[in-house]
Coordinates of all heavy atoms in Angstrom, one line a residue:
N392 N -62.2 35.1 -26.5 CA -60.9 35.8 -26.6 C -60.1 35.9 -25.3 O -58.9 35.6 -25.3 CB -61.2 37.3 -27.1 CG -60.0 38.1 -27.2 OD1 -58.8 37.6 -27.5 ND2 -60.1 39.4 -27.0
H393 N -60.9 36.1 -24.2 CA -60.2 36.1 -22.9 C -59.8 34.7 -22.5 O -58.7 34.6 -21.8 CB -61.1 36.7 -21.8 CG -61.2 38.2 -21.9 ND1 -60.2 39.0 -21.6 CD2 -62.3 39.0 -22.3 CE1 -60.5 40.3 -21.8 NE2 -61.8 40.3 -22.1
G394 N -60.5 33.7 -22.9 CA -60.1 32.3 -22.6 C -58.8 32.0 -23.3 O -58.0 31.2 -22.8
M395 N -58.6 32.6 -24.5 CA -57.4 32.3 -25.3 C -56.2 33.2 -24.9 O -55.0 32.8 -24.9 CB -57.6 32.5 -26.8 CG -58.6 31.6 -27.4 SD -58.7 31.8 -29.2 CE -59.3 33.4 -29.3
H396 N -56.5 34.4 -24.4 CA -55.4 35.4 -24.3 C -55.3 36.0 -22.8 O -54.4 36.9 -22.6 CB -55.6 36.6 -25.2 CG -55.5 36.2 -26.7 ND1 -56.6 36.3 -27.6 CD2 -54.5 35.7 -27.4 CE1 -56.3 35.9 -28.7 NE2 -55.0 35.5 -28.7
T397 N -56.2 35.6 -21.9 CA -56.1 36.2 -20.6 C -56.0 35.2 -19.5 O -55.1 35.2 -18.7 CB -57.3 37.1 -20.3 OG1 -57.5 38.1 -21.4 CG2 -57.2 37.8 -19.0
T398 N -57.0 34.2 -19.4 CA -57.0 33.3 -18.3 C -55.8 32.3 -18.3 O -55.6 31.7 -17.3 CB -58.3 32.5 -18.3 OG1 -58.4 31.9 -19.6 CG2 -59.5 33.4 -18.1
V399 N -55.1 32.2 -19.4 CA -53.9 31.4 -19.5 C -52.9 31.7 -18.3 O -52.4 30.9 -17.7 CB -53.2 31.5 -20.8 CG1 -51.8 30.8 -20.8 CG2 -54.1 31.0 -21.9
L400 N -52.8 33.0 -18.1 CA -51.8 33.5 -17.1 C -52.2 33.1 -15.6 O -51.4 32.4 -14.9 CB -51.6 35.0 -17.2 CG -50.6 35.6 -16.2 CD1 -49.2 35.0 -16.3 CD2 -50.5 37.1 -16.4
P401 N -53.4 33.4 -15.2 CA -53.8 33.0 -13.8 C -53.8 31.5 -13.6 O -53.4 31.0 -12.6 CB -55.2 33.6 -13.6 CG -55.7 34.0 -15.0 CD -54.5 34.3 -15.7
F402 N -54.2 30.8 -14.7 CA -54.3 29.3 -14.6 C -52.8 28.7 -14.3 O -52.6 27.8 -13.5 CB -54.8 28.7 -15.8 CG -56.3 28.8 -15.9 CD1 -57.0 28.5 -17.1 CD2 -57.1 29.3 -14.9 CE1 -58.4 28.6 -17.3 CE2 -58.5 29.4 -14.9 CZ -59.1 29.1 -16.2
I403 N -51.9 29.2 -15.1 CA -50.5 28.7 -15.0 C -49.9 29.1 -13.6 O -49.1 28.3 -13.0 CB -49.7 29.0 -16.2 CG1 -48.5 28.0 -16.3 CG2 -49.1 30.4 -16.1 CD1 -48.9 26.7 -16.7
L404 N -50.2 30.3 -13.2 CA -49.7 30.8 -11.9 C -50.3 30.0 -10.7 O -49.6 29.7 -9.7 CB -50.0 32.2 -11.7 CG -49.2 33.2 -12.6 CD1 -49.6 34.6 -12.4 CD2 -47.7 33.1 -12.3
I405 N -51.6 29.6 -10.8 CA -52.2 28.8 -9.8 C -51.6 27.4 -9.8 O -51.3 26.9 -8.7 CB -53.8 28.6 -10.2 CG1 -54.5 29.9 -9.9 CG2 -54.4 27.4 -9.3 CD1 -55.9 29.9 -10.4
E406 N -51.2 26.8 -10.9 CA -50.6 25.5 -10.9 C -49.2 25.6 -10.3 O -48.8 24.8 -9.6 CB -50.5 25.1 -12.4 CG -49.6 23.9 -12.6 CD -50.0 22.6 -11.8 OE1 -51.2 22.5 -11.5 OE2 -49.1 21.8 -11.5
M407 N -48.5 26.7 -10.6 CA -47.2 26.9 -10.1 C -47.2 27.1 -8.6 O -46.3 26.6 -7.8 CB -46.5 28.1 -10.7 CG -45.0 28.3 -10.3 SD -44.2 29.5 -11.3 CE -43.7 28.6 -12.8
R408 N -48.3 27.7 -8.0 CA -48.4 28.0 -6.6 C -48.9 26.7 -5.9 O -48.5 26.6 -4.7 CB -49.4 29.1 -6.4 CG -49.8 29.4 -5.0 CD -48.5 30.0 -4.3 NE -48.9 30.3 -2.9 CZ -49.0 29.4 -1.9 NH1 -48.7 28.1 -2.2 NH2 -49.2 29.8 -0.6
T409 N -49.6 25.9 -6.5 CA -50.2 24.7 -5.8 C -49.3 23.4 -5.8 O -49.5 22.6 -5.0 CB -51.6 24.4 -6.3 OG1 -51.6 24.2 -7.7 CG2 -52.6 25.5 -6.0
S410 N -48.4 23.4 -6.8 CA -47.5 22.2 -6.9 C -46.1 22.6 -7.2 O -45.8 23.5 -8.0 CB -48.0 21.3 -8.1 OG -49.3 20.8 -7.8
H411 N -45.2 21.9 -6.5 CA -43.8 22.2 -6.7 C -43.3 21.5 -8.0 O -43.7 20.3 -8.3 CB -42.9 21.6 -5.6 CG -41.5 21.8 -5.8 ND1 -40.7 20.8 -6.3 CD2 -40.7 22.8 -5.7 CE1 -39.4 21.2 -6.4 NE2 -39.4 22.5 -6.1
H412 N -42.6 22.2 -8.8 CA -42.1 21.6 -10.1 C -40.6 21.7 -10.2 O -40.0 22.8 -9.8 CB -42.7 22.4 -11.3 CG -44.2 22.3 -11.4 ND1 -44.8 21.3 -12.0 CD2 -45.2 23.1 -10.9 CE1 -46.2 21.4 -11.9 NE2 -46.4 22.5 -11.2
Q413 N -40.0 20.5 -10.5 CA -38.5 20.5 -10.6 C -38.1 20.9 -12.0 O -38.4 20.3 -13.0 CB -38.1 19.0 -10.3 CG -36.6 18.9 -10.3 CD -35.9 19.6 -9.1 OE1 -36.4 19.5 -8.0 NE2 -34.8 20.3 -9.4
Y414 N -37.4 22.1 -12.0 CA -37.0 22.5 -13.4 C -35.8 21.7 -13.8 O -35.0 21.2 -13.0 CB -36.5 24.0 -13.2 CG -37.6 25.0 -13.6 CD1 -38.8 25.0 -12.9 CD2 -37.5 25.9 -14.7 CE1 -39.8 25.9 -13.2 CE2 -38.5 26.7 -15.0 CZ -39.7 26.7 -14.3 OH -40.7 27.6 -14.6
P415 N -35.6 21.6 -15.2 CA -34.5 20.9 -15.7 C -33.2 21.7 -15.6 O -33.3 22.9 -15.1 CB -34.8 20.7 -17.2 CG -35.8 21.9 -17.5 CD -36.5 22.1 -16.2
S416 N -32.1 21.2 -16.0 CA -30.9 22.0 -15.9 C -31.1 23.3 -16.8 O -31.8 23.2 -17.8 CB -29.6 21.3 -16.4 OG -29.8 21.0 -17.8
R417 N -30.5 24.4 -16.4 CA -30.8 25.7 -17.1 C -30.3 25.6 -18.6 O -31.1 26.1 -19.5 CB -30.0 26.8 -16.5 CG -30.3 28.1 -17.1 CD -29.8 29.3 -16.2 NE -30.6 29.4 -14.9 CZ -30.4 30.3 -14.0 NH1 -29.4 31.2 -14.1 NH2 -31.1 30.3 -12.9
S418 N -29.2 24.9 -18.9 CA -28.8 24.8 -20.3 C -29.7 24.0 -21.1 O -30.1 24.4 -22.3 CB -27.4 24.2 -20.3 OG -27.4 22.9 -19.7
S419 N -30.2 22.9 -20.6 CA -31.2 22.1 -21.4 C -32.5 22.8 -21.5 O -33.2 22.7 -22.6 CB -31.3 20.7 -20.8 OG -32.0 20.8 -19.5
G420 N -32.9 23.5 -20.5 CA -34.2 24.2 -20.6 C -34.2 25.3 -21.6 O -35.1 25.5 -22.4
L421 N -33.1 26.1 -21.5 CA -32.9 27.2 -22.5 C -32.8 26.7 -23.9 O -33.3 27.3 -24.9 CB -31.8 28.1 -22.1 CG -31.9 28.9 -20.8 CD1 -30.6 29.7 -20.5 CD2 -33.0 30.0 -21.0
T422 N -32.1 25.6 -24.1 CA -32.0 25.0 -25.4 C -33.3 24.6 -26.0 O -33.6 24.8 -27.1 CB -31.0 23.7 -25.4 OG1 -29.7 24.1 -24.9 CG2 -30.9 23.1 -26.7
A423 N -34.1 24.0 -25.1 CA -35.4 23.5 -25.5 C -36.4 24.7 -25.9 O -37.0 24.7 -27.0 CB -36.1 22.7 -24.4
I424 N -36.4 25.8 -25.1 CA -37.2 26.9 -25.4 C -36.8 27.7 -26.6 O -37.5 28.2 -27.5 CB -37.4 27.9 -24.2 CG1 -38.5 28.9 -24.5 CG2 -36.1 28.6 -23.9 CD1 -39.9 28.3 -24.7
C425 N -35.4 27.7 -26.8 CA -34.8 28.3 -28.1 C -35.3 27.5 -29.3 O -35.6 28.1 -30.3 CB -33.3 28.4 -27.9 SG -32.7 29.8 -27.1
T426 N -35.2 26.2 -29.2 CA -35.6 25.3 -30.3 C -37.1 25.6 -30.7 O -37.4 25.6 -31.9 CB -35.4 23.8 -29.9 OG1 -34.0 23.6 -29.6 CG2 -35.8 22.9 -31.0
F427 N -37.9 25.6 -29.7 CA -39.3 25.9 -29.9 C -39.5 27.3 -30.6 O -40.2 27.4 -31.6 CB -40.1 25.9 -28.6 CG -41.6 26.3 -28.8 CD1 -42.5 25.4 -29.1 CD2 -42.0 27.6 -28.6 CE1 -43.8 25.8 -29.4 CE2 -43.3 28.0 -28.8 CZ -44.2 27.1 -29.2
S428 N -38.8 28.3 -30.1 CA -39.0 29.7 -30.6 C -38.5 29.7 -32.0 O -39.2 30.3 -32.9 CB -38.2 30.7 -29.8 OG -38.6 30.7 -28.4
V429 N -37.3 29.2 -32.3 CA -36.8 29.3 -33.7 C -37.7 28.4 -34.6 O -37.9 28.8 -35.7 CB -35.3 28.8 -33.7 CG1 -34.8 28.6 -35.1 CG2 -34.4 29.7 -32.9
G430 N -38.2 27.3 -34.1 CA -39.0 26.4 -34.9 C -40.3 27.1 -35.3 O -40.7 27.1 -36.5
Y431 N -40.9 27.9 -34.4 CA -42.1 28.6 -34.7 C -41.9 29.7 -35.7 O -42.6 30.0 -36.6 CB -42.8 29.1 -33.5 CG -44.1 29.9 -33.8 CD1 -45.2 29.2 -34.3 CD2 -44.2 31.3 -33.7 CE1 -46.4 29.9 -34.6 CE2 -45.3 31.9 -34.0 CZ -46.4 31.2 -34.5 OH -47.6 31.9 -34.8
I432 N -40.7 30.5 -35.5 CA -40.4 31.6 -36.4 C -40.2 31.0 -37.8 O -40.7 31.6 -38.8 CB -39.1 32.2 -35.9 CG1 -39.4 33.1 -34.7 CG2 -38.5 33.2 -37.0 CD1 -38.2 33.6 -33.9
L433 N -39.5 29.9 -38.0 CA -39.3 29.2 -39.3 C -40.6 28.9 -39.9 O -40.8 28.9 -41.1 CB -38.3 28.1 -39.2 CG -36.9 28.4 -38.8 CD1 -36.1 27.1 -38.6 CD2 -36.2 29.2 -39.9
W434 N -41.5 28.4 -39.0 CA -42.9 27.9 -39.5 C -43.6 29.2 -40.0 O -44.3 29.1 -41.1 CB -43.6 27.3 -38.4 CG -45.1 27.0 -38.5 CD1 -46.1 27.4 -37.7 CD2 -45.7 26.4 -39.6 NE1 -47.3 27.0 -38.1 CE2 -47.1 26.3 -39.4 CE3 -45.3 25.7 -40.8 CZ2 -48.1 25.7 -40.2 CZ3 -46.2 25.1 -41.6 CH2 -47.6 25.1 -41.3
V435 N -43.6 30.3 -39.3 CA -44.2 31.5 -39.7 C -43.7 32.0 -41.1 O -44.4 32.4 -42.0 CB -44.1 32.6 -38.7 CG1 -44.5 34.0 -39.3 CG2 -44.9 32.3 -37.5
C436 N -42.3 31.9 -41.2 CA -41.7 32.3 -42.5 C -42.1 31.4 -43.6 O -42.3 31.9 -44.8 CB -40.2 32.4 -42.3 SG -39.6 33.7 -41.2
W437 N -42.2 30.1 -43.3 CA -42.6 29.2 -44.3 C -44.0 29.4 -44.8 O -44.3 29.4 -46.0 CB -42.5 27.7 -43.8 CG -42.9 26.7 -44.8 CD1 -44.1 26.0 -44.8 CD2 -42.2 26.3 -46.0 NE1 -44.2 25.2 -45.9 CE2 -43.1 25.3 -46.6 CE3 -41.1 26.7 -46.6 CZ2 -42.7 24.7 -47.9 CZ3 -40.7 26.1 -47.8 CH2 -41.5 25.1 -48.4
V438 N -44.9 29.7 -43.9 CA -46.3 30.0 -44.3 C -46.3 31.3 -45.2 O -47.0 31.3 -46.2 CB -47.2 30.3 -43.0 CG1 -48.5 30.9 -43.4 CG2 -47.3 29.0 -42.2
H439 N -45.5 32.3 -44.9 CA -45.4 33.5 -45.7 C -44.8 33.1 -47.1 O -45.3 33.6 -48.1 CB -44.5 34.5 -45.1 CG -44.2 35.7 -45.9 ND1 -43.1 35.9 -46.7 CD2 -45.0 36.8 -46.2 CE1 -43.2 37.0 -47.4 NE2 -44.3 37.6 -47.1
H440 N -43.8 32.2 -47.1 CA -43.2 31.8 -48.4 C -44.3 31.1 -49.3 O -44.3 31.3 -50.5 CB -42.1 30.8 -48.1 CG -41.5 30.2 -49.3 ND1 -40.7 30.9 -50.2 CD2 -41.6 28.9 -49.8 CE1 -40.3 30.0 -51.2 NE2 -40.9 28.8 -50.9
V441 N -45.1 30.3 -48.7 CA -46.1 29.5 -49.4 C -47.3 30.4 -49.8 O -47.8 30.3 -51.0 CB -46.6 28.3 -48.6 CG1 -47.8 27.6 -49.3 CG2 -45.5 27.3 -48.4
T442 N -47.8 31.3 -48.9 CA -49.0 32.0 -49.2 C -48.8 33.5 -49.6 O -49.7 34.1 -50.2 CB -49.9 32.0 -47.9 OG1 -49.2 32.8 -46.9 CG2 -50.2 30.6 -47.4
G443 N -47.6 34.0 -49.3 CA -47.3 35.4 -49.6 C -47.9 36.3 -48.6 O -47.8 37.5 -48.8
M444 N -48.4 35.8 -47.6 CA -49.0 36.6 -46.5 C -48.5 36.2 -45.1 O -48.2 35.1 -44.9 CB -50.6 36.5 -46.4 CG -51.3 37.0 -47.7 SD -53.1 36.8 -47.5 CE -53.4 38.0 -46.2
W445 N -48.2 37.2 -44.2 CA -47.8 37.0 -42.9 C -48.9 36.6 -42.0 O -50.0 37.0 -42.2 CB -47.1 38.2 -42.4 CG -45.7 38.5 -43.0 CD1 -45.5 39.5 -43.9 CD2 -44.5 37.8 -42.8 NE1 -44.2 39.4 -44.3 CE2 -43.5 38.4 -43.6 CE3 -44.1 36.7 -42.0 CZ2 -42.2 38.0 -43.6 CZ3 -42.8 36.3 -42.0 CH2 -41.9 36.9 -42.8
V446 N -48.6 35.7 -41.1 CA -49.7 35.2 -40.2 C -50.2 36.3 -39.3 O -51.4 36.4 -39.1 CB -49.0 34.2 -39.2 CG1 -50.0 33.8 -38.1 CG2 -48.6 32.9 -40.0
Y447 N -49.4 37.3 -38.9 CA -49.9 38.4 -38.1 C -49.8 39.7 -38.9 O -48.7 40.0 -39.5 CB -49.0 38.5 -36.8 CG -49.0 37.3 -36.0 CD1 -47.9 36.4 -36.1 CD2 -50.1 36.9 -35.3 CE1 -48.0 35.2 -35.3 CE2 -50.2 35.8 -34.6 CZ -49.1 34.9 -34.6 OH -49.2 33.7 -33.9
P448 N -50.9 40.5 -39.0 CA -51.0 41.7 -39.8 C -49.8 42.7 -39.6 O -49.4 43.3 -40.6 CB -52.3 42.3 -39.4 CG -53.1 41.2 -38.8 CD -52.1 40.2 -38.2
F449 N -49.3 42.9 -38.4 CA -48.3 43.9 -38.2 C -47.0 43.5 -38.9 O -46.2 44.4 -39.2 CB -48.0 44.1 -36.7 CG -47.3 43.0 -36.0 CD1 -45.9 43.0 -35.9 CD2 -48.1 41.9 -35.4 CE1 -45.3 41.9 -35.3 CE2 -47.4 40.9 -34.8 CZ -46.0 40.9 -34.7
L450 N -46.8 42.3 -39.2 CA -45.5 41.9 -39.9 C -45.5 42.4 -41.4 O -44.5 42.5 -42.0 CB -45.3 40.4 -39.9 CG -45.0 39.7 -38.6 CD1 -45.1 38.2 -38.6 CD2 -43.7 40.2 -38.0
E451 N -46.7 42.7 -41.9 CA -46.8 43.3 -43.2 C -46.4 44.7 -43.3 O -46.0 45.2 -44.3 CB -48.3 43.2 -43.7 CG -48.9 41.8 -43.8 CD -48.6 41.1 -45.0 OE1 -47.8 41.6 -45.9 OE2 -49.0 39.9 -45.1
H452 N -46.4 45.4 -42.2 CA -46.1 46.8 -42.1 C -44.7 47.2 -41.7 O -44.4 48.3 -41.5 CB -47.2 47.5 -41.2 CG -48.6 47.2 -41.6 ND1 -49.1 47.7 -42.7 CD2 -49.5 46.5 -41.0 CE1 -50.4 47.3 -42.8 NE2 -50.6 46.6 -41.7
I453 N -43.9 46.2 -41.5 CA -42.5 46.5 -41.1 C -41.5 45.9 -42.1 O -41.9 44.9 -42.8 CB -42.2 46.0 -39.6 CG1 -42.4 44.5 -39.6 CG2 -43.0 46.7 -38.6 CD1 -42.0 43.9 -38.2
G454 N -40.3 46.5 -42.2 CA -39.4 46.0 -43.2 C -38.6 44.7 -42.8 O -38.8 44.3 -41.6
P455 N -37.9 44.1 -43.7 CA -37.1 42.9 -43.3 C -36.2 43.0 -42.2 O -36.1 42.1 -41.3 CB -36.3 42.6 -44.6 CG -37.1 43.3 -45.7 CD -37.7 44.5 -45.1
G456 N -35.5 44.2 -42.0 CA -34.6 44.3 -40.9 C -35.4 44.4 -39.6 O -35.0 43.8 -38.6
A457 N -36.5 45.1 -39.6 CA -37.3 45.2 -38.4 C -37.9 43.8 -38.0 O -38.0 43.5 -36.8 CB -38.5 46.1 -38.6
R458 N -38.2 43.0 -39.0 CA -38.7 41.6 -38.7 C -37.6 40.8 -38.1 O -37.9 40.0 -37.1 CB -39.2 41.0 -40.1 CG -40.5 41.5 -40.6 CD -41.0 40.6 -41.7 NE -41.9 41.4 -42.5 CZ -41.6 41.8 -43.8 NH1 -40.5 41.4 -44.3 NH2 -42.5 42.5 -44.5
I459 N -36.4 40.9 -38.5 CA -35.3 40.1 -38.0 C -35.2 40.6 -36.5 O -35.0 39.7 -35.6 CB -34.0 40.3 -38.8 CG1 -34.1 39.7 -40.2 CG2 -32.8 39.8 -38.0 CD1 -33.0 40.0 -41.1
I460 N -35.2 41.9 -36.3 CA -35.1 42.4 -34.9 C -36.2 41.8 -34.0 O -36.0 41.4 -32.9 CB -35.0 43.9 -34.9 CG1 -33.7 44.4 -35.5 CG2 -35.1 44.4 -33.4 CD1 -33.7 45.9 -35.7
F461 N -37.4 41.9 -34.6 CA -38.6 41.4 -33.9 C -38.5 39.9 -33.5 O -38.7 39.5 -32.4 CB -39.9 41.6 -34.6 CG -41.1 41.1 -34.0 CD1 -41.7 41.7 -32.9 CD2 -41.7 39.8 -34.5 CE1 -42.8 41.1 -32.3 CE2 -42.8 39.3 -33.9 CZ -43.4 40.0 -32.8
F462 N -38.1 39.1 -34.5 CA -38.0 37.7 -34.3 C -36.9 37.4 -33.2 O -37.0 36.5 -32.4 CB -37.7 37.0 -35.6 CG -38.9 36.9 -36.5 CD1 -38.7 37.0 -37.9 CD2 -40.2 36.7 -36.0 CE1 -39.8 36.9 -38.8 CE2 -41.3 36.7 -36.9 CZ -41.0 36.8 -38.3
G463 N -35.8 38.1 -33.3 CA -34.7 37.9 -32.4 C -35.1 38.3 -31.0 O -34.8 37.6 -30.0
S464 N -35.9 39.4 -30.9 CA -36.4 39.9 -29.6 C -37.3 38.9 -29.0 O -37.3 38.7 -27.7 CB -37.1 41.3 -29.8 OG -36.2 42.2 -30.3
T465 N -38.2 38.3 -29.8 CA -39.1 37.3 -29.2 C -38.4 36.1 -28.7 O -38.8 35.6 -27.7 CB -40.2 36.9 -30.3 OG1 -39.5 36.3 -31.4 CG2 -41.0 38.0 -30.8
T466 N -37.4 35.7 -29.3 CA -36.6 34.6 -28.8 C -35.9 34.9 -27.5 O -35.9 34.1 -26.6 CB -35.5 34.1 -29.9 OG1 -36.2 33.8 -31.1 CG2 -34.8 32.9 -29.4
I467 N -35.4 36.1 -27.5 CA -34.7 36.6 -26.2 C -35.8 36.6 -25.1 O -35.6 36.2 -23.9 CB -34.1 37.9 -26.4 CG1 -32.9 37.8 -27.3 CG2 -33.7 38.5 -25.0 CD1 -32.3 39.1 -27.7
L468 N -37.0 37.1 -25.4 CA -38.1 37.3 -24.4 C -38.5 35.9 -24.0 O -38.7 35.7 -22.7 CB -39.3 38.0 -25.0 CG -40.5 38.1 -24.1 CD1 -40.1 38.9 -22.8 CD2 -41.6 38.9 -24.9
M469 N -38.6 34.9 -24.8 CA -38.9 33.6 -24.5 C -37.9 33.0 -23.4 O -38.3 32.4 -22.4 CB -39.0 32.6 -25.7 CG -40.2 32.8 -26.5 SD -41.6 31.9 -25.7 CE -42.7 31.8 -27.1
N470 N -36.6 33.3 -23.7 CA -35.6 32.8 -22.8 C -35.7 33.5 -21.4 O -35.6 32.9 -20.4 CB -34.2 33.1 -23.4 CG -33.8 32.1 -24.4 OD1 -33.1 31.1 -24.1 ND2 -34.2 32.3 -25.6
F471 N -36.0 34.8 -21.4 CA -36.2 35.6 -20.2 C -37.4 35.0 -19.4 O -37.3 34.9 -18.2 CB -36.5 37.0 -20.5 CG -36.9 37.8 -19.4 CD1 -36.0 38.2 -18.4 CD2 -38.2 38.2 -19.2 CE1 -36.4 39.0 -17.2 CE2 -38.7 38.9 -18.0 CZ -37.7 39.3 -17.1
L472 N -38.5 34.7 -20.1 CA -39.7 34.1 -19.4 C -39.4 32.8 -18.8 O -39.9 32.4 -17.8 CB -40.9 34.1 -20.4 CG -41.4 35.4 -20.8 CD1 -42.5 35.3 -21.9 CD2 -42.0 36.2 -19.6

Side-chain angles (χ1 to χ4, degrees):
N392 179 31
H393 284 292
M395 297 187 297
H396 298 117
T397 305
T398 57
V399 173
L400 181 57
F402 284 169
I403 203 66
L404 290 176
I405 289 169
E406 170 59 24
M407 187 171 278
R408 176 64 181 78
T409 55
S410 295
H411 176 261
H412 297 274
Q413 184 66 45
Y414 265 61
S416 68
R417 186 167 291 180
S418 58
S419 64
L421 291 174
T422 299
I424 191 61
C425 276
T426 300
F427 174 85
S428 300
V429 172
Y431 181 69
I432 289 167
L433 292 175
W434 169 232
V435 167
C436 291
W437 177 253
V438 171
H439 175 262
H440 172 74
V441 172
T442 65
M444 295 183 65
W445 289 103
V446 173
Y447 303 103
F449 71 90
L450 292 173
E451 300 280 359
H452 304 293
I453 59 177
R458 286 191 204 107
I459 292 173
I460 293 172
F461 174 77
F462 288 143
S464 299
T465 57
T466 303
I467 293 171
L468 179 57
M469 282 283 199
N470 279 267
F471 170 77
L472 291 173

